[in-house]
Amino acid sequence: MSSDPGNTGTTGGLDKETRRRMTIALCDQPVITQLVETGLASKLKREENKRRTRPCLVLESLILRYLDAMDFDDIVYDRNQATIHAWQKHMQSIGSGILKLASKYCHGQPCYAVGIRGGAFNYCIEVSFDQDEGVEAHWLMRFPIPGAVMHPEAKVRHEVAVMRYLYENTTIPVPRVVAWGTAEDNIFEGVGPFIIMEFVQGKSLYEVLKGTPIKEVFRPLSADEYLKELQRKAEAGEGDNEVLSPLIDDKILALVYRQLAIVYLELSEHSFDKIGSLDMTGGLQPTWTVTAPPYTNLANEMERVAGVSKEARREPFDSAADYLLNVAQQKINAMQMQRNSVDDVEFGREAYAARHLFRDTVPTFLDHENNHGPFKLVCDDFRPGNILVDRNLKITAICDWEWTYAAPYQQFYTAPRWLLLKAPEEWRIDEPYGGGVGEDDMRKAYEKKLDLFLRILKEEEVIYAANKLSFPAIPSKRTKSPKPTSTAPPTWFHDLLYDDTTPTEELDSHVSADKPYTPVHTPAGFNEPKSEALSSLMRKSWTTGQFWFNECLRAYNFDLIYWLRFHDLCYGPRESVECCVKDWAAIKSNRHIEDFIEEKLRDLKAYQKELKRLEETPASNVEDGTNGRGEHNDGKENKRPQMGIHEAAVEQDQEVVAATVEMGKATLGNG
């Protein structure tokens, strides 16, 4: 299984000598640095593309203004980049010795590296065990990258819990976890936590849907071609940022959509009584509980690039209202905490107003009927780039279950955001799709794909319901485990407001008729009695605008989505952002806004002063003496341990070059 399956992979079907030389080239050479940076470069390239977008004249000033909103904290970002580079250097020093970790869980048998993958958050090594030694296995070692992942231990623990739960309680194609461990469990100090899972053959569904010919996607690569492809991807900084090809036949989409519709239906069968991340206890008969708040992709990114740490709260949430108000409030808190969040008075007022106005919409878009559950598993990174398929487009694995948590039901039944491949927050006003240009064309393209997906989902709902009547317990080839429960105590979110108002009173105050400047209308049908059909709920999420509410919840570039796509939906057409902010401030009689802006401008001056001082200070040697946890290595594991395949001697550079050239003679099958 590929955790970042957009990269080209290999198989273990190589002769012993070729695998030995592949191990040298992949583990003992600087490829790791390039591959780890590939995913991060993809992210930065997408951010840069956003800033270079040329919007249409009608909304040009608005888009240009908010593309640069809430910039990175360069001090925090550079510090985390230094942590990444230190970890890269440490991994490079270990080299092929890292394979000892896989061998530890396979009776000490030696193994070979036959592929590597670098993504935005993880570094993966594909390993194959020697059939001549009596062991035949094909695994993937996965390491979260410190500096890219702010809490690696928690991430791995929650990710493993989700993977094990899905593997043992559903028929969803999830790779089997072979072993996992914390940083203390790792035999190499400074590498951090890890997951070892079975490798699953397949290619990225993203590659197919963006229009790459299937023959090209599944074309076997020689070892030399494989290494060149790694180099090309590292230099290009490629990422999953293209749009669905308009040339893709609906028959192909229907084949894919039908399989994913079944995945959604199966996920809908599993409920949790708390909102938060999963933990797992027990060995052969594990149990799962929701014990912590959701560890989301947004929370990680806010800490990585803005220095806004996760809130101190440790308990999960009891209700959707509690959770959604918390997320909305965190957007206000993040603006307060990030030192360079405001760079001028006008933007400061607009951003301050947008976040408070958005918080006021929570009662409007709250699914009151399902406020206290059921709660369903939602993955922030569920997309075609993390789905593997075979040549017949049958899904072989759904990967990357990081940032998965039990969420409010309304987030689960929000219409899929991946139907056009490119995330909705990255749709541009003048971006062409098919024969037209403009956002309306992108929206119409999305609606056509949504119609197709929901039609297929509705068909599968009928089949699924009939199967449940005939076979109440749908048989699975995998062992079932008990359904999850939660033992966490009830909790209310008490620190939401500036005063002592309770969340219940806050909700009541928002929906009261005499409350000024509340949303002018509730979207038609939003809080009508809910149909049990998932397809119907997904349809309503799009027609009522709840889709964009959910995008605001998860967006880092909040201001652009709020003003461009969401505000008018809730508060009615506006003459301008400036007028809207002025009206809101007057109605609220908010005394805090000017004090807040003055405070943030003082923060900005202090930030700029510190940034200038750091820029004038010679670069530190953090990469030379620290490991991935920011601690100094003692050299105990910094020496490169050698596997049995390297016992003769460490190969010289000349042999590596020769081996790389010779590898071009070997053809590697790909699926």
Side-chain angles (χ1 to χ4, degrees), residues 73 75-76 79 306 334-342 600-607 610:
D73 182 325
I75 298 173
V76 171
R79 186 185 305 135
M335 187 179 177
Q336 174 74 51
M337 295 170 63
Q338 184 177 342
R339 294 178 294 175
N340 63 330
S341 62
V342 174
K600 292 310 300 175
L601 292 178
R602 288 194 297 269
D603 289 346
L604 180 65
K605 288 182 179 179
Y607 165 81
E610 182 181 354

Side-chain angles (χ1 to χ4, degrees), residues 120-136:
F121 303 110
N122 304 281
Y123 173 64
C124 304
I125 304 176
E126 180 187 342
V127 300
S128 177
F129 288 86
D130 195 343
Q131 190 174 9
D132 295 340
E133 301 289 340
V135 178
E136 186 174 7

Side-chain angles (χ1 to χ4, degrees), residues 31-43 81 84-85 88 118-119 145 234 237:
V31 179
I32 178 177
T33 300
Q34 298 163 346
L35 261 294
V36 168
E37 289 178 344
T38 298
L40 299 174
S42 301
K43 245 181 176 190
Q81 285 296 104
I84 292 172
H85 293 312
Q88 290 173 331
I145 305 170

